[in-house]
Amino acid sequence: MSGADDTSGAVGARGASEVEDETWLLGDQSEFVSAEASQLHLLGVTESRSSGAPLREPSDEFEGGEDAVAREPHDVEDTPPQRRRKPRIIERGPTRADVTLDAWCSFCCRPRAEIGELVAGPAGAFICKACLTASSALFGDSVSPVSLPARPHVETPTPSAPDFIGQPEARSALIDALRTGVRCVLLIGAEGCGKSTLLQMLQREGQGALTTVDALTGTPSSTPLFIEDVDQLSTEHQRALSAFLGRASRPTVVLSARGNAPSSSKLALRGEGLRLNIPTTGALSRAMRDTVTVSILEHVQHLVSLRPPTSAEYKDMARARLAAREHATALSEKALSVLVAEAARSPRAGHELQALLQRIPPGTWDLDKVTKPAPARKGRRKKGTS
């Protein structure tokens, strides 16, 4: 019995020792939980002791708000795959557009200054009251129509446009014809001689208005009308112009066309100290190479011919165009002479001169001295060689 007691006592002592060792290894559980809670708190994890595992607070990134890293392995396996939360769609409706925005209506493409206040949409579109009314009418809604405001007619001022230079006799003849009420005047000249410049100058002076055949109306007007490039009109437009010229009530019309002055007519009159050549309709047609119908030329009452400008007049035109520039541009006399000579080589001398001037940037320019390459030296033959 003593041996058995000794054996049982040894086993009991060993069991007690193992329990003490296990207790020493595990330590105080409260201290372990406190340390674990402190670490999780630093990591932003909230402890939940009900399930025996620390859990994160609900996260905005995943639905369910649980972090798989903090779970036990068996919990991770049993949990279905997490889905990302779909972005929220913020519902917006139409709002009154900010008055400080320089916005345009997305439907009629008119600015706020013309149509008034706008309504803004969530996608950056705008609509005015008139277009909103028209849109409601398309749905069959009974709304009072709102008329679009009339688009203001703003004439673009051209204070820097050059005046017609030279040929004072032709300019005076055209002005006198406008003042005396001649019904139809034909302004003829070579291309680039200044026909358009002369008519534009008269329009700035208030002596007429440039227009097109499509803009001619039956409304009587006392303002003379200027129609350019009659020789380039289509057959239909020339027919419409001929019908307009045949009306009894219409203003004075000045027609410009490319051509040369007709030869001296055998029909010449003299009176009041003046000599007047009266060209025939056939002579006028030949002067413009039959590009204008006879039905139009029959209405011509006065002919004004422009000759090609001289070199001095071209230089004055170039100086006037350079002086009208916003940024100062100057050319030396030698450079100006060469520029005018190059423009005179073109059959469209006036247009070519303007094109050459546009290619010169602001500044002061002189003609560059172009060094001609020296001629190639010929090899000398040695004496005694054939």
Side-chain angles (χ1 to χ4, degrees):
M1 294 297 293
S2 62
D5 294 340
D6 294 341
T7 303
S8 61
V11 173
R14 186 181 58 180
S17 176
E18 290 178 357
V19 173
E20 291 177 359
D21 293 343
E22 184 179 358
T23 305
W24 178 80
L25 291 174
L26 294 177
D28 191 357
Q29 294 294 327
S30 61
E31 295 178 358
F32 175 78
V33 173
S34 301
E36 184 184 10
S38 301
Q39 294 179 0
L40 294 177
H41 177 71
L42 294 176
L43 295 176
V45 179
T46 303
E47 182 184 12
S48 176
R49 304 306 300 174
S50 60
S51 60
L55 299 176
R56 288 182 181 271
E57 293 181 353
S59 173
D60 293 335
E61 183 178 2
F62 297 99
E63 292 183 357
E66 294 184 356
D67 192 349
V69 178
R71 295 180 181 180
E72 295 296 334
H74 63 276
D75 294 334
V76 176
E77 295 177 358
D78 298 340
T79 305
Q82 299 171 348
R83 296 177 300 173
R84 290 186 177 274
R85 180 174 297 173
K86 297 181 180 179
R88 296 181 180 178
I89 299 177
I90 302 177
E91 296 183 359
R92 286 187 54 190
T95 57
R96 187 184 295 269
D98 188 0
V99 295
T100 60
L101 292 177
D102 187 15
W104 293 57
C105 177
S106 303
F107 292 83
C108 64
C109 299
R110 290 191 173 189
R112 177 195 294 274
E114 294 185 13
I115 54 181
E117 295 187 3
L118 299 171
V119 174
F126 299 90
I127 187 171
C128 65
K129 190 174 183 180
C131 292
L132 184 60
T133 303
S135 301
S136 300
L138 294 176
F139 286 107
D141 299 338
S142 57
V143 292
S144 58
V146 178
S147 59
L148 286 172
R151 188 183 294 271
H153 178 68
V154 180
E155 295 185 358
T156 304
T158 55
S160 60
D163 291 337
F164 182 78
I165 296 176
Q167 308 189 49
E169 65 284 349
R171 178 170 48 184
S172 299
L174 181 56
I175 294 176
D176 291 341
L178 294 175
R179 290 177 179 175
T180 55
V182 178
R183 288 176 57 81
C184 186
V185 181
L186 177 61
L187 180 63
I188 190 174
E191 189 172 9
C193 66
K195 300 184 294 295
S196 298
T197 304
L198 177 57
L199 294 180
Q200 291 171 7
M201 184 190 70
L202 295 178
Q203 179 179 240
R204 291 194 300 270
E205 295 176 354
Q207 301 192 42
L210 287 166
T211 187
T212 61
V213 176
D214 294 330
L216 297 176
T217 59
T219 305
S221 175
S222 59
T223 303
L225 302 178
F226 303 153
I227 303 177
E228 296 185 289
D229 302 327
V230 179
D231 55 309
Q232 300 183 25
L233 295 177
S234 62
T235 303
E236 182 180 357
H237 282 165
Q238 289 198 20
R239 189 182 300 111
L241 178 60
S242 176
F244 179 79
L245 295 176
R247 294 179 181 178
S249 177
R250 64 168 177 82
T252 300
V253 178
V254 178
L255 309 175
S256 71
R258 294 175 299 178
N260 300 320
S263 56
S264 299
S265 175
K266 297 181 180 179
L267 181 58
L269 303 179
R270 182 179 295 276
E272 298 182 0
L274 299 176
R275 186 177 183 275
L276 179 63
N277 288 324
I278 302 179
T280 62
T281 304
L284 293 177
S285 180
R286 290 190 297 271
M288 291 179 288
R289 300 180 180 180
D290 300 328
T291 55
V292 181
T293 60
V294 176
S295 60
I296 293 178
L297 297 178
E298 288 176 346
H299 295 282
V300 174
Q301 295 179 336
H302 192 74
L303 175 65
V304 177
S305 300
L306 296 181
R307 55 171 175 78
T310 62
S311 297
E313 291 172 346
Y314 276 132
K315 287 184 179 180
D316 292 339
M317 295 178 189
R319 294 190 187 97
R321 291 187 178 276
L322 292 177
R325 284 189 174 187
E326 182 179 359
H327 302 286
T329 307
L331 287 177
S332 64
E333 285 298 322
K334 185 179 295 186
L336 194 61
S337 300
V338 174
L339 193 73
V340 168
E342 289 296 328
R345 298 174 184 269
S346 172
R348 295 163 45 92
H351 299 288
E352 180 64 18
L353 177 62
Q354 182 178 357
L356 293 176
L357 292 174
Q358 290 177 351
R359 296 167 189 152
I360 300 176
T364 303
W365 302 92
D366 196 359
L367 190 65
D368 187 18
K369 296 180 180 180
V370 180
T371 303
K372 296 182 179 180
R377 297 179 61 182
K378 296 181 180 181
R380 297 181 180 179
R381 293 182 179 180
K382 295 182 179 180
K383 294 181 179 181
T385 60
S386 56

